[in-house]
Structures are given as structure tokens and as C-alpha cells.
Amino acid sequence: MSDATGKRWVFFLSDRTGITAETLGATLLTQFDEAEFKQSTLPFINSEDKARAAVEYIDQVAGSSGLKPIVFSTTVSDEVRVILRGANALFLDLFDLFVPQLEGELNVKSMHREGRAHGIADRDTYQIRIDAMNYALNHDDGVGEDGYEDAQVILIAPSRCGKTPASIYLAMQHGVFAANYPLTPEDLENQRLPRILEPHRDKLYGLSIEPDRLHHIRSERRRGSQYASLPQVSFELRQAESLYKRQRIPSSDTTNMSIEEIATMIMQEKGIRRRTF
Amino acid sequence: MSDATGKRWVFFLSDRTGITAETLGATLLTQFDEAEFKQSTLPFINSEDKARAAVEYIDQVAGSSGLKPIVFSTTVSDEVRVILRGANALFLDLFDLFVPQLEGELNVKSMHREGRAHGIADRDTYQIRIDAMNYALNHDDGVGEDGYEDAQVILIAPSRCGKTPASIYLAMQHGVFAANYPLTPEDLENQRLPRILEPHRDKLYGLSIEPDRLHHIRSERRRGSQYASLPQVSFELRQAESLYKRQRIPSSDTTNMSIEEIATMIMQEKGIRRRTF
């Protein structure tokens, strides 16, 4: 295995999916973007044999790249961790660093039990998320309007401003029931809310985006169309923002926001509680 | 604010969305389920004023609950962190604990720049995830079969075994292009793959589930129907598992797996690289 890229290897290692290790590592590595990293996840390292195989692999990479790899680990078993610590790497384990302080404060021993986070214990959370996702899919783009009583939020915006991804992310990550409804050029012209939304006024949240970006997004769908033209999207967005203001509907310009930020912003402004705690 | 529940408060605190802090904290707290926790996220704590307001709130909770709150924090600014450390709480900060070790190994100073993870720098990642999600939505449940060349994986299973949530999760979390295709009772009877899937045989992954659970899920949709009956679901699942075996299609029983685990398992078995690194 030769590696002449000069990149530093980073491993996300876990006895389960590795998602926590990835999240942790990604957040930390963003603070070091001078360095370039080559990333790999090693999930389901839940036995001493698998730990030894992982160490062998990491050591091989260390040898051929000439740079000590960095390992972000979330592994509950002490026996597994002892083996992993032997790797030729900077070994950073979440449990090593935080559990002693938590044990001290809570005055109990931790359970050293694997497979808890993102795991089978989460049956209720799982069901909430699946229900929320089904809700989002069944109440997408103005469909299923007889089910708005169950919505925690109804996103409104002109076509292609990101209503669907935001609704699905709210469901998937936070278990929030989110519907979405498109504002048509007619709604925007009249500066009136679609009548079907009137009874649910307090659930509405408006999305906006920069005209250039929406022009680009719509052009990918229907290049050269009136629908995608810059004058048309500029008009729709200006009217949408004026409608939000006039109707006192909270809203965000999502141009420079990630999907996580959009979801968090909506939940904060609408006072929505996560259902996945 | 009186709180007679005897529960310990846990805060997830961040200059951005709080998702990293939540993930980190959730993983650690699962090791302490004797204790009961009351959880709250304080996002966008990105100024000294907001930090002071957060400390005030945490101190109020500490006073009224009589138990020192636990704070999981991911806050980049040193100035903000100095203030937060003053709270009457067990303050556990990701950057405090990991950054010094990373700086040592990488031999560079960290940037102390906020808003990197899940942030605007991730425009490419954002677009990959949105494209992947649109792909999943447009290739759900056997629709859009002319686009299977672009699939990284095609999930197959009898109705309601969890194909849609798994496809969307793969897209949202990992940027993976996942289609899914339902196996009909006729496909299962004949033990043949639907012809449309033949050219994409190496992309197939089968899902299965315990009969009782599928009976329950289908009953929520059509109670008392033949479709939901235990004999019918048992037949379909037995035939599906036999089809997977006969056609050498890798598969998993997802009954006791979380959606994260299902996604990770599929990616590992099919050798799919994340596109969101």
C-alpha cells in the first residue's frame, strides 16, 4: 500500500456505526484545514479480533504514508480499547476523555455497554423518526392538506427554495412533523396566503434564497424557461419576502446555510421541541 | 422555575446548531441510564452576550433543580468559552479536551474559527446530499427505473420492510445515491428477480424483517387485510429470504437495527464510499 499523496490518514472507529466518531472528528478537523486529510470509517469493531485487525490496518497505513494516523474512537469495551491504544496513531477516544468526569459528577459507574447510541434501545425514537419521515413524504409540496392539524411546522416558499430537503431533514434528524406548501406566482401576485393555510397560520415558516442561486437551481431543471429566468425568480422572491413580512410569518434566507442550520433555525424560531430526546 | 422531577438537566451548547454536542452527549449519556436526564439544546451561542445569557439560564436551572447541570459544549471562541466555564455546571467542551492533542500531533495551531462543521464551507457536501436526496425521492418504490445506472445501491424487499427510510437516510447522511424497488408477491412466488433489475444485479441489497413486526406495520396501513395478515407476511418474507440466497444477493434482517446501523451495514457490505467526506 503506497501512498504518495502526503495526506494524513484519519480513522473513525467504533463498535457500532461510527457516526458519533465521524461527527466528533469532522467538527475537530474543520479547525485544521491547512492540513489535508484522507478519511476512513471502521465500523462494528466490537471484538478483540476485530480490534487487532483494525490495529494491523492502521499500522500498515502509518508505515506506508510515513505520517502517524489520527484515530477518533467511540468504543465502549475496555478490552477492545486496550488493543486499539497499541496502534501507531494518535488515539483519541470519546469515552476515555469524558466518562471519568461524568462518573465523578453523577457519582455512578458507567455501564460500559455497547450498542446504546443509535442502537436497538432506541425503538421509540426510531418509530418517531419513521413516522415523521412518512408524514413529510405524505405532506410534501402541498399534498395531503387534510393532515395539517398534525404538522408542527408548515414550510412555505416559491418552487425549489429547499422546502423538501428541510422537511425531510427535520423529520429524520429531529422527529419533527413538517409539511410544506409551494407558493404559486398567483399567490405571490395577490400577496395573500393560500386559503388552505389560513387556519394554520401559526405553523407557517417561510424560506427564501438569493435570486442568482434560485435561477441556477431552476435552470438545472428547465434550462432557458421563463420559470428559471432571473427576472421571474427575482420577482417571486421579492414578492415572497414581502408576503412573509406583511403576514408576519417568520422566515430565513437559506442561501448560506447548511441544512442542519436551516432546521435548527426553524425549530428555534417556532419553539419546536425535538421529539427524539 | 421550580423543578421537582429530580431529573438532572443536560445542556447541549454550541455556537452553531448544537448537533455535534447533541451527538457527543447522547452517546456518553447512554452509558448512564440509571440517572434520568432532562435535555435542552442552546444553539447559536456565538457572542459574549449570548454566553452570559446562557450562563444565567443554566445557573437558574442549577438553583431550582438542586442538581448541577451537565453541559456538553462545542464552542470555538476562547472568549465565549471563558464565560461559559463560569456556569454552575459540569462543563465538558469538545475543543478543550481534544484540540491540544491534535495541535501537538499536527504541529499547527487550530484556527478557532466558528461555523465550520455543518456550515457554509460545506457547499459541495450540501449539494451532494441534496442531489442524493432528490435521487432517492425520484427512484423510490420502483419509480424512475431508467435512472438505475446512477444508483450506488438498489434496495429490494417486500412492501413496508423499510426501503424508503433506508434510502433517504443513505442520501441525507452519507450522500449515497440509493434507489429502491418493491418485490411483489408474484416476484416472490417465481423466485425470480424483476427483469428490470437484472442488469443492475451487483447493486442489489435485500432487506428483511421479522414477520410479527411486518404484520404490525402493515396492519397500521390496512388493518384486517390479507396484505397485512400474518400468513401472508410470513410467506413473503420466507420467499424473499430464499430469493436473496438463491440469487446471491447480500441482505440483512433489520428488525433490531436502527436506521443508522442499517445504512452503515449496507455501505460496508456493498463497499460504498461515503460522498460527504
Side-chain angles (χ1 to χ4, degrees):
Chain A
M1 189 173 7
S2 97
D3 183 350
T5 60
K7 289 188 181 178
R8 170 97 56 167
W9 277 76
V10 175
F11 292 99
F12 306 107
L13 199 152
S14 171
D15 45 20
R16 306 298 289 184
T17 63
I19 288 172
T20 301
E22 286 173 9
T23 305
L24 168 80
T27 298
L28 287 162
L29 291 180
T30 50
Q31 295 300 312
F32 294 93
D33 73 358
E34 288 148 80
E36 286 201 75
F37 303 107
K38 212 165 146 62
Q39 304 175 57
S40 177
T41 301
L42 307 179
F44 304 122
I45 308 295
N46 51 11
S47 71
E48 296 180 35
D49 277 352
K50 288 185 189 167
R52 275 185 283 268
V55 167
E56 203 171 303
Y57 181 54
I58 293 166
D59 286 352
Q60 221 176 334
V61 166
S64 64
S65 72
L67 283 170
K68 207 186 237 198
I70 296 167
V71 179
F72 293 101
S73 153
T74 61
T75 313
V76 174
S77 153
D78 289 333
E79 292 73 27
V80 166
R81 243 176 313 145
V82 164
I83 295 167
L84 295 174
R85 267 194 221 107
N88 180 15
L90 175 67
F91 182 75
L92 300 171
D93 187 87
L94 186 66
F95 294 102
D96 277 345
L97 285 171
F98 285 97
V99 163
Q101 297 191 62
L102 283 166
E103 287 182 338
E105 176 58 38
L106 296 171
N107 203 20
V108 290
K109 279 275 154 203
S110 76
M111 301 184 301
H112 287 71
R113 197 160 73 192
E114 77 177 54
R116 304 275 311 161
H118 314 300
I120 59 172
D122 278 338
R123 171 60 59 204
D124 289 352
T125 300
Y126 179 83
Q127 201 50 54
I128 288 170
R129 292 164 71 190
I130 299 293
D131 290 348
M133 184 152 34
N134 285 331
Y135 183 86
L137 293 173
N138 292 331
H139 298 81
D140 184 44
D141 209 33
V143 174
E145 52 194 40
D146 51 338
Y148 287 170
E149 304 77 52
D150 297 328
Q152 294 176 274
V153 63
I154 304 170
L155 303 181
I156 58 174
S159 167
R160 306 297 280 180
C161 285
K163 297 184 298 294
T164 300
S167 303
I168 292 179
Y169 187 85
L170 280 164
M172 180 80 85
Q173 178 73 24
H174 300 298
V176 168
F177 277 46
N180 73 78
Y181 197 96
L183 296 175
T184 64
E186 293 68 42
D187 299 326
L188 295 166
E189 184 102 51
N190 301 333
Q191 293 286 296
R192 281 210 209 100
L193 282 177
R195 193 170 303 169
I196 189 79
L197 298 179
E198 274 294 349
H200 308 288
R201 182 176 270 278
D202 57 334
K203 295 180 178 176
L204 302 181
Y205 193 93
L207 300 183
S208 190
I209 193 169
E210 278 172 13
D212 277 349
R213 179 114 194 98
L214 185 56
H215 166 60
H216 176 80
I217 295 169
R218 287 192 179 179
S219 295
E220 295 209 332
R221 205 184 205 186
R222 288 193 231 148
R223 189 164 306 280
S225 64
Q226 144 100 16
Y227 162 81
S229 72
L230 197 51
Q232 177 66 25
V233 304
S234 303
F235 168 77
E236 289 187 32
L237 289 168
R238 206 168 48 238
Q239 292 289 100
E241 280 166 27
S242 143
L243 178 69
Y244 302 152
K245 194 172 287 181
R246 184 189 295 242
Q247 303 282 348
R248 294 203 189 79
I249 295 164
S251 67
S252 293
D253 180 331
T254 64
T255 311
N256 290 315
M257 291 169 80
S258 72
I259 196 159
E260 284 85 351
E261 289 173 314
I262 296 167
T264 304
M265 181 75 77
I266 292 168
M267 292 174 67
Q268 196 182 38
E269 292 202 20
K270 301 298 287 182
I272 297 171
R273 294 276 309 167
R274 284 155 174 74
R275 300 174 66 162
T276 46
F277 276 166
Chain B
M1 189 172 10
S2 96
D3 183 349
T5 60
K7 288 189 182 178
R8 170 97 56 168
W9 277 76
V10 175
F11 292 98
F12 306 107
L13 199 151
S14 171
D15 44 20
R16 305 299 288 185
T17 64
I19 287 171
T20 301
E22 287 174 8
T23 305
L24 169 80
T27 298
L28 288 162
L29 291 181
T30 50
Q31 295 299 313
F32 294 93
D33 75 358
E34 289 150 81
E36 287 202 74
F37 302 106
K38 211 165 148 62
Q39 304 175 58
S40 176
T41 301
L42 307 179
F44 304 120
I45 307 295
N46 51 12
S47 71
E48 297 180 34
D49 278 353
K50 287 186 189 167
R52 275 186 283 268
V55 168
E56 203 171 306
Y57 180 54
I58 293 166
D59 286 352
Q60 221 177 333
V61 166
S64 64
S65 72
L67 283 169
K68 207 186 238 199
I70 296 167
V71 179
F72 293 101
S73 153
T74 61
T75 312
V76 174
S77 154
D78 289 332
E79 292 72 28
V80 166
R81 243 178 311 144
V82 163
I83 295 167
L84 294 174
R85 267 194 221 107
N88 180 15
L90 177 66
F91 183 75
L92 299 171
D93 186 88
L94 187 66
F95 294 102
D96 277 345
L97 285 171
F98 285 98
V99 164
Q101 297 191 63
L102 283 167
E103 287 181 339
E105 176 58 38
L106 296 172
N107 203 19
V108 289
K109 279 275 155 201
S110 76
M111 301 184 301
H112 287 71
R113 197 160 70 192
E114 76 177 57
R116 304 276 311 163
H118 314 300
I120 58 173
D122 278 338
R123 170 62 58 206
D124 289 353
T125 300
Y126 179 84
Q127 200 50 53
I128 287 170
R129 292 164 71 191
I130 299 294
D131 290 348
M133 184 153 34
N134 285 331
Y135 183 87
L137 293 172
N138 292 332
H139 298 81
D140 184 44
D141 208 31
V143 175
E145 52 194 39
D146 52 337
Y148 287 170
E149 304 78 52
D150 297 329
Q152 294 176 273
V153 63
I154 304 170
L155 303 181
I156 58 175
S159 167
R160 307 297 282 178
C161 285
K163 297 185 297 295
T164 300
S167 304
I168 292 180
Y169 187 84
L170 281 164
M172 179 80 85
Q173 179 73 24
H174 300 298
V176 168
F177 277 45
N180 73 78
Y181 197 96
L183 296 175
T184 64
E186 293 68 42
D187 299 326
L188 295 167
E189 184 103 49
N190 302 334
Q191 292 287 296
R192 282 212 207 100
L193 282 178
R195 191 170 304 170
I196 189 78
L197 297 180
E198 274 294 350
H200 309 289
R201 181 175 271 279
D202 57 334
K203 295 181 178 175
L204 302 182
Y205 193 93
L207 299 183
S208 191
I209 193 169
E210 278 172 13
D212 276 350
R213 178 116 193 96
L214 185 56
H215 166 60
H216 176 80
I217 295 169
R218 287 192 179 179
S219 295
E220 296 209 332
R221 205 183 203 186
R222 289 193 229 149
R223 190 163 305 280
S225 64
Q226 145 102 16
Y227 163 81
S229 73
L230 196 52
Q232 177 66 24
V233 304
S234 303
F235 167 77
E236 290 187 31
L237 290 168
R238 206 168 47 238
Q239 292 290 100
E241 279 166 28
S242 141
L243 178 69
Y244 302 153
K245 194 172 288 180
R246 184 189 296 242
Q247 304 281 348
R248 293 203 190 79
I249 295 164
S251 67
S252 292
D253 180 332
T254 64
T255 311
N256 290 315
M257 292 168 80
S258 71
I259 196 159
E260 284 87 351
E261 289 172 316
I262 296 167
T264 304
M265 180 77 75
I266 292 168
M267 291 174 67
Q268 196 181 39
E269 291 201 22
K270 301 299 285 182
I272 296 171
R273 293 277 309 168
R274 284 154 175 73
R275 300 173 66 163
T276 46
F277 276 167

